[in-house]
Amino acid sequence: MTSDRRQKDGATLPHRSVLLDSAVDYLISDPDGKYVDATFGRGGHSRLILDRLAEKGHLLGIDKDPEAIGVAEQFAIKDARFSWFHGSFAELDLALARREWRDVNGVLMDLGVSSPQLDDASRGFSFMRDGPLDMRMNPQQSPSAAEWLAQAEEQDIANVIWRYGEERFSRRIARLVVERRQEEAIETTRQLAELVSEAVPKKEKHKHPATRTFQAIRIFINRELEDLEAGLHAAVEHLAPGGRLVVISFHSLEDRLVKRFMRDLARGPQLPKGIPVTADQEASAFRLIGKASKAGADEVGENVRARSAVMRVLERIEANTNSQGGA
């Protein structure tokens, strides 16, 4: 996720990726290695990774968003060490197979929606800007948020808002969606934001009542948690010894999944409780690197979105005997 455009002396400054320097510091162990920026976005992390790589190093950028791939194409034209793949990081196996890569030295995942996506009203991610209710990271896929809300059952809408947004008034919101869509189609972000504000009886201080609902629908439409789980498994399967998986999360559902995944791998195989241990347990092929990291006060001061960022790092310490493919 990248930061807001910031104004200084009347000039627009470029987007800066959250936890940029520390993420790349953790990621790169060998300047001649192969790396994956699994959430290319507008190339914030990729620019710095390429700056740190030697002539023999290579970086693969992955993104669902066709607009992001347009930027990635320009990177590839300017730098032969860079290549791109249009798709989800859940398709990491396919992306690496096309490059004929077996193992990589590091994978970076910067989760969630990017600032360019939030800032563009036509993408429909933000309740702060009126636009079509789309929310698709890849607009070439279906359905959009508006299309789903137009036909989904009331219980399904409530379940999505509760599961992915942890919104306690999910049933009220779903009920009003179904009632309102019989009068007129819910096709804009403003319509949905106003509907949620009407449905939620208690407002949280300093938080728009539509925040959780928009998050939930976006996560559902883009299959974000399902893709994250698949992407994490694929990433560790392809890490070379000493290779690292660096993940930056922006909400508790993501971070909870990442934390448990990394923790369980670092612990290694566990015997069921109550079974006596008669031999040494198999050691883990992975270890956690440091503790969870968060943005500092200066970064949060410049970019309010950085306040919820959590970065976790996992390293492979033994060879992967399961990976297949060419060198």
Side-chain angles (χ1 to χ4, degrees), residues 227-272:
D227 278 10
L228 175 57
E229 187 167 7
L232 291 172
H233 282 280
V236 297
E237 281 297 311
H238 290 282
L239 282 181
R244 291 179 174 180
L245 171 62
V246 180
V247 184
I248 304 172
S249 306
F250 287 85
H251 61 73
S252 59
L253 293 177
E254 292 173 338
D255 184 54
R256 196 177 304 146
L257 195 160
V258 173
K259 179 181 179 180
R260 290 174 179 172
F261 177 82
M262 291 187 174
R263 177 199 64 195
D264 290 348
L265 279 181
R267 284 179 175 176
Q270 299 293 303
L271 293 174

Side-chain angles (χ1 to χ4, degrees), residues 152-210:
E153 297 289 337
E154 179 179 327
Q155 187 61 54
D156 291 337
I157 297 172
N159 288 343
V160 164
I161 297 173
W162 168 250
R163 179 182 177 187
Y164 298 118
E166 299 178 315
E167 170 58 71
R168 59 179 175 148
F169 299 111
S170 59
R171 292 182 181 178
R172 286 175 176 261
I173 296 168
R175 189 179 308 121
L176 190 56
V177 165
V178 173
E179 291 176 0
R180 194 62 52 81
R181 75 186 184 190
Q182 295 174 357
E183 303 169 5
E184 63 174 347
I186 303 169
E187 297 179 334
T188 70
T189 54
R190 178 175 294 172
Q191 282 178 291
L192 181 58
E194 291 177 350
L195 181 154
V196 174
S197 295
E198 181 180 338
V200 174
K202 296 181 180 179
K203 309 296 190 289
E204 295 181 60
K205 191 174 181 180
H206 306 307
K207 194 167 193 175
H208 193 287

Side-chain angles (χ1 to χ4, degrees), residues 19-298:
L19 292 166
L20 175 62
D21 295 297
S22 55
V24 176
D25 287 343
Y26 275 117
L27 181 72
I28 297 180
S29 56
D30 179 3
D32 290 320
K34 298 182 179 74
Y35 295 88
V36 179
D37 183 351
T39 46
F40 176 80
R42 296 303 182 269
H45 285 109
S46 285
R47 286 185 183 90
L48 186 56
I49 293 170
L50 288 169
D51 285 345
R52 303 275 186 90
L53 292 184
E55 185 177 349
K56 293 182 180 179
H58 199 95
L59 174 64
L60 172 64
I62 299 175
D63 209 290
K64 295 179 179 180
D65 191 338
E67 293 185 11
I69 293 302
V71 178
E73 289 174 340
Q74 296 304 309
F75 270 55
I77 291 171
K78 297 176 181 178
D79 196 327
R81 300 172 301 163
F82 181 84
S83 57
W84 55 268
F85 175 84
H86 184 201
S88 167
F89 50 57
E91 303 172 279
L92 183 61
D93 287 337
L94 174 60
L96 295 182
R98 288 185 178 178
R99 293 291 308 165
E100 297 186 340
W101 288 3
R102 181 182 63 190
D103 291 335
V104 296
N105 300 92
V107 178
L108 172 65
M109 295 180 178
D110 183 15
L111 305 177
V113 64
S114 69
S115 287
Q117 290 169 329
L118 283 171
D119 294 340
D120 185 351
S122 69
R123 302 299 299 273
F125 286 105
S126 176
F127 49 79
M128 301 299 293
R129 296 169 176 83
D130 191 27
L133 189 59
D134 194 311
M135 295 195 191
R136 291 173 294 180
M137 292 182 179
N138 183 356
Q140 298 170 1
Q141 296 179 338
S142 293
S144 68
E147 290 168 341
W148 179 70
L149 285 175
Q151 53 80 34
E153 297 289 337
E154 179 179 327
Q155 187 61 54
D156 291 337
I157 297 172
N159 288 343
V160 164
I161 297 173
W162 168 250
R163 179 182 177 187
Y164 298 118
E166 299 178 315
E167 170 58 71
R168 59 179 175 148
F169 299 111
S170 59
R171 292 182 181 178
R172 286 175 176 261
I173 296 168
R175 189 179 308 121
L176 190 56
V177 165
V178 173
E179 291 176 0
R180 194 62 52 81
R181 75 186 184 190
Q182 295 174 357
E183 303 169 5
E184 63 174 347
I186 303 169
E187 297 179 334
T188 70
T189 54
R190 178 175 294 172
Q191 282 178 291
L192 181 58
E194 291 177 350
L195 181 154
V196 174
S197 295
E198 181 180 338
V200 174
K202 296 181 180 179
K203 309 296 190 289
E204 295 181 60
K205 191 174 181 180
H206 306 307
K207 194 167 193 175
H208 193 287
T211 300
R212 298 180 189 277
T213 297
F214 270 67
Q215 171 188 295
I217 295 174
R218 188 204 82 218
I219 290 173
F220 172 76
I221 289 294
N222 293 289
R223 293 179 50 83
E224 291 181 38
L225 296 187
E226 293 88 347
D227 278 10
L228 175 57
E229 187 167 7
L232 291 172
H233 282 280
V236 297
E237 281 297 311
H238 290 282
L239 282 181
R244 291 179 174 180
L245 171 62
V246 180
V247 184
I248 304 172
S249 306
F250 287 85
H251 61 73
S252 59
L253 293 177
E254 292 173 338
D255 184 54
R256 196 177 304 146
L257 195 160
V258 173
K259 179 181 179 180
R260 290 174 179 172
F261 177 82
M262 291 187 174
R263 177 199 64 195
D264 290 348
L265 279 181
R267 284 179 175 176
Q270 299 293 303
L271 293 174
K273 291 182 178 180
I275 294 181
V277 178
T278 57
D280 292 337
Q281 284 187 259
E282 183 180 348
S284 173
F286 299 90
R287 66 170 180 169
L288 297 173
I289 301 297
K291 297 181 179 179
S293 303
K294 295 188 177 182
D298 290 344

